[in-house]
Amino acid sequence: ATGAYRTDEIIEDILFYLKQNNLEFEETIPNRLEYQYIWDLIRYNFIVPWKSFTNTMEKLIYVLSYIKKPTKTIAVGINCGYTFAFMLAPLFWMKNTGQRAYGIEKNERIANIARRNISHLFTDDRVSITSQDALVALDDFQPSYFDFAFLDTRSDIQILKKLYEKIKPGGWLLMHNASDIHFKVTIRPFLDFVRDKRYFSESYLFPIDSKGLELSIKKNP
């Protein structure tokens, strides 16, 4: 219980910080019982061979999605869909409201696990998962299509650059492992790009655990 309270304090501090830095979003905090229901669905039904997300990181991603209320969401490098699920979870309570979400996982076997996992949350056509290479899959979308994106790959900076083209001005991009010392070298070009004011007006690092999360806001023209 103490850990849960500390998690809520950390997230409330982050939301306060974002408000102080003029990031606009609704004040409403997600219903705790709704979050617990989603958390139980994920924990007891998903096949998850391995994960690096702490409870605080899971809830932060959920809350950021909740306050953003995206209509078009994409996640690149979803693995078995565990993180993707916390991004999508707020949509669970929004029935037939036009939201669409897309997950990209290059490995077909892992993508099938992700499809099986996500089916415990969504049985309609609002969520789709492809096993194409990200550079190919992203070509299927128009520029400025997504208002909420997640990137969890450091294999090719061109993936980030192409994803950037698909995000709307003012759209949010999340990147995991932003402060992980094990990825210090490989993630540097990615961080340099999202912290470049030519592309993103703001970029915030949340070092809430050993991995860290970067939230970047695409610059308006």
Side-chain angles (χ1 to χ4, degrees):
T2 302
Y5 288 131
R6 181 64 183 137
T7 287
D8 288 342
E9 289 176 358
I10 290 171
I11 291 174
E12 287 172 6
D13 286 346
I14 288 173
L15 296 184
F16 178 78
Y17 170 79
L18 293 175
K19 277 287 188 179
Q20 290 297 103
N21 283 271
N22 300 316
L23 189 62
E24 296 183 0
F25 53 85
E26 291 185 13
E27 297 280 357
T28 308
I29 300 298
N31 183 290
R32 291 183 179 182
L33 290 179
E34 289 182 355
Y35 178 76
Q36 185 64 47
Y37 180 81
I38 292 291
W39 190 88
D40 287 342
L41 275 180
I42 295 171
R43 286 299 181 95
Y44 297 118
N45 292 288
F46 276 39
I47 297 173
V48 184
W50 178 87
K51 73 180 186 74
S52 61
F53 283 79
T54 60
N55 292 349
T56 303
M57 185 65 75
E58 293 165 359
K59 191 163 188 179
L60 175 59
I61 290 172
Y62 176 90
V63 169
L64 290 174
S65 177
Y66 183 92
I67 63 176
K68 179 61 175 171
K69 293 180 171 51
T71 57
K72 300 293 186 296
T73 297
I74 189 167
V76 179
I78 65 169
N79 199 274
C80 61
Y82 185 82
T83 309
F84 193 36
F86 284 97
M87 283 185 70
L88 300 179
L91 303 185
F92 181 87
W93 308 104
M94 305 175 191
K95 306 299 185 184
N96 301 317
T97 52
Q99 290 91 348
R100 292 284 300 174
Y102 304 86
I104 299 174
E105 171 50 52
K106 186 176 181 179
N107 186 305
E108 175 65 25
R109 182 177 64 85
I110 301 299
N112 281 332
I113 295 175
R115 293 183 185 103
R116 180 262 184 203
N117 286 341
I118 295 299
S119 70
H120 287 286
L121 292 177
F122 298 93
T123 56
D124 54 30
D125 62 355
R126 287 185 293 168
V127 181
S128 60
I129 295 171
T130 180
S131 56
Q132 290 178 292
D133 181 274
L135 289 173
V136 175
L138 287 169
D139 281 335
D140 291 338
F141 303 101
Q142 296 296 318
S144 301
Y145 185 74
F146 298 102
D147 46 11
F148 194 50
F150 182 89
L151 180 65
D152 197 9
T153 178
R154 293 156 299 283
S155 62
D156 189 344
I157 188 65
Q158 296 307 317
I159 294 175
L160 172 57
K161 291 180 178 180
K162 181 165 283 192
L163 178 60
Y164 164 81
E165 297 171 359
K166 309 301 179 179
I167 300 173
K168 294 179 181 178
W172 294 10
L173 168 66
L174 303 180
M175 288 201 309
H176 192 225
N177 296 312
S179 59
D180 190 334
I181 61 172
H182 299 96
F183 300 118
K184 185 177 180 179
V185 174
T186 55
I187 203 169
R188 185 75 257 169
F190 291 79
L191 294 177
D192 288 344
F193 186 84
V194 299
R195 294 172 183 176
D196 190 325
K197 294 293 187 179
R198 292 176 297 174
Y199 309 116
F200 292 88
S201 58
E202 304 292 339
S203 200
Y204 309 98
L205 172 63
F206 305 128
I208 59 175
D209 55 24
S210 64
K211 306 297 181 182
L213 185 74
E214 187 96 1
L215 166 62
S216 306
I217 316 299
K218 185 171 179 179
K219 184 178 179 179
N220 284 295

